[in-house]
Structure formats: C-alpha cells, structure tokens
Amino acid sequence: MRIAGSIFLAFLSPLSASFWAVYLLCGISDMLDGWLARRLHAQSRIGAALDSTADLLFVLCAGIRLIPFIVSDVDAWILWLAVGIAAVKLSAYTVGAIRYHRFAALHTMLNKLTGAALFLLPLFLWSGGFQTLCVLVEAIALAAAVEELLIQLKTKTYNANIQGVWRMHK
C-alpha cells in the first residue's frame, strides 16, 4: 500500500487535502505493517526488503513534493547538514551491500525513531519553531546514520532487525 501511495504522492498537488490524506495513509501503513507482520507471524525476508523499499520510495516521493516548501523555511547550513547525513546513510548502505552482497538496510530503534520524526516534521511546516525542529530531527538522523554505518562495519552477519549498536555481535 505504501509503495502505491508513495507513487501517487508524486502526482498530487503538494499541501492539498488529497496530498495530506495519502501522506497520512502511507505513514499509518508504515506503522502498522511491521507490527501486523510480527503479530500474525508473517515476517519474511521479502517483507523486510519491501518495507525498506517502501520507506525509501516514500521519503523520495514525499520529499520531492515537500522540499521546495522546507527549503524556503530553513537556513542553508541545515540543508547542507541534511546532505551530509544522506552521505553517511548512503555509505552505510554501500558498506552493507559490499559486505553482505545485498541491500542491507537496518531496522534499528534509532532508524525507526528517525522515520517517525521525518514523517511528522512536514506536519509542522508552518509552526514558529520549524527550523529548530529540523535541527532536532537531523540530530536523530545523524545518530541513526552513524550507528547504522558502525553496525555495517563491525558485524560479521547481516541482521536487518538489530535493535542498535548495543546489540551488536562482532
């Protein structure tokens, strides 16, 4: 559902009622899919890969539509920090791909927190403290990206559902 909704977002007028409705449905489906899979004992490697793919597609499609509004509300250094965080995240994916010969995104607690924070951030576009919220979300995202890179560099076997660096087995 999130993959189809994400693609649909790319064609909706940003900030319209239909855009926000699809945006919220995508976010709710993201929160429910993992929980339901665990509850119904329906977890699978394909499901985990689809979840990561859907997350990436959602961020890309929603981001493409929302970035013009976000860019106009924040200082340039905040945008450059986001680019740096993306570079660390891409480095973690690259290390995972090289070490495990697959797309190796991790579902750590910090990555989940980052996803929730990124999802909620656009809902506060018009709040007085939007720039401060951006910095807070970036701090969480940077910690998650560095943690993921560290895990990818240090672990011998791939575990998509590792909770965090404190659960890392060398």
Side-chain angles (χ1 to χ4, degrees), residues 2-109:
R2 195 161 68 258
I3 290 172
S6 297
I7 293 167
F8 194 51
L9 271 180
F11 298 99
L12 293 173
S13 177
L15 312 182
S16 67
S18 57
F19 178 88
W20 289 119
V22 173
Y23 184 88
L24 291 172
L25 283 173
C26 286
I28 291 166
S29 78
D30 185 24
M31 290 180 239
L32 290 177
D33 69 353
W35 180 80
L36 281 172
R38 285 185 295 281
R39 252 348 204 158
L40 299 172
H41 304 288
Q43 294 169 281
S44 70
R45 183 175 169 178
I46 292 171
L50 281 172
D51 182 55
S52 295
T53 301
D55 288 345
L56 186 60
L57 190 59
F58 178 68
V59 168
L60 288 174
C61 291
I64 287 167
R65 302 307 281 167
L66 292 171
I67 281 181
F69 301 97
I70 292 169
V71 167
S72 67
D73 272 6
V74 297
D75 293 338
W77 70 269
I78 292 175
L79 301 173
W80 283 111
L81 181 55
V83 169
I85 294 166
V88 174
K89 192 73 166 176
L90 287 173
S91 297
Y93 288 154
T94 301
V95 168
I98 291 168
R99 293 198 70 208
Y100 308 117
H101 309 289
R102 60 181 288 176
F103 179 66
L106 303 178
H107 300 132
T108 65
M109 297 304 286

